[in-house]
Amino acid sequence: EYDFEGRDIDNFAYILALKGKLMGQIHLPDYLTERERDEERLLEDILDSVVEVERGEKILVADALKNYEMYSKQLATAGIGLTEHKEKEGLFIVPSRVARRLLRDINIYDADSIKSLLLYFEGSEFIQARLKGDRVRGVFIPLESLKSFFEDIE
């Protein structure tokens, strides 16, 4: 006979459920296993925000990235750049600058949440890189992980 108490039963049931799920014996509903792609929504919010390129003239971050040579300084001020890391081209985002300059009106994002969400992209890393002459820490995301966002960025 077994001498289990309430908490022991809960723990044992949890272990059995995990084992069943791993062995394919338990099938959970889709809404429990599908993860919302919050990092994609964040990147869309960043790309849809605007940077000032000249006095009073503003353009979308996505459009500025398409003309990176022309707008690299304005993007760097906003915390965005294109860089190379481990022989891969990628998007470099400084969460603190992006939160302060691009997403200040969207209350759900702060520097920590921006960093943690961007790190969900495949191959992304938190690194130190040069942006507008400054060495700053930010999230590097390989462009190959962002093909759906950047088909036409060179």
Side-chain angles (χ1 to χ4, degrees):
E1 305 232 340
Y2 298 105
D3 188 24
F4 289 121
E5 295 189 16
R7 183 137 176 108
D8 293 330
I9 293 171
D10 290 343
N11 291 337
F12 190 67
Y14 178 76
I15 291 169
L16 286 177
L18 278 176
K19 179 182 176 211
K21 177 64 181 155
L22 291 172
M23 297 183 76
Q25 298 167 344
I26 297 176
H27 299 285
L28 298 174
D30 287 341
Y31 71 89
L32 291 177
T33 58
E34 289 179 1
R35 186 175 74 78
E36 183 96 18
R37 302 293 298 184
D38 291 333
E39 68 275 14
E40 291 177 2
R41 187 176 320 124
L42 167 62
L43 188 57
E44 287 171 3
D45 287 341
I46 292 171
L47 296 174
D48 289 341
S49 56
V50 295
V51 290
E52 187 169 338
V53 293
E54 288 185 31
R55 284 191 169 270
E57 184 186 344
K58 297 179 180 185
I59 65 170
L60 293 176
V61 168
D63 293 334
L65 282 167
K66 291 175 187 174
N67 298 301
Y68 185 71
E69 291 299 317
M70 183 182 292
Y71 300 119
S72 62
K73 289 181 183 175
Q74 293 88 342
L75 285 166
T77 299
I80 297 176
L82 294 175
T83 191
E84 191 174 304
H85 177 65
K86 294 183 180 174
E87 300 180 10
K88 293 182 181 180
E89 288 290 321
L91 184 64
F92 183 70
I93 298 175
V94 181
S96 58
R97 286 189 192 178
V98 167
R100 194 171 53 250
R101 298 186 185 263
L102 297 179
L103 302 177
R104 64 183 168 275
D105 296 332
I106 303 176
N107 295 329
I108 60 171
Y109 300 124
D110 62 14
D112 290 334
S113 66
I114 291 169
K115 175 185 171 185
S116 62
L117 285 173
L118 292 176
L119 287 171
Y120 277 108
F121 283 104
E122 187 176 333
S124 64
E125 292 182 55
F126 192 67
I127 66 167
Q128 190 174 52
R130 286 210 178 275
L131 196 59
K132 197 178 162 185
D134 300 329
R135 287 197 70 68
V136 290
R137 296 191 56 77
V139 178
F140 172 85
I141 308 168
L143 289 182
E144 63 193 28
S145 298
L146 303 173
K147 285 183 180 171
S148 62
F149 294 97
F150 298 118
E151 284 107 16
D152 51 0
I153 288 186
E154 299 292 321

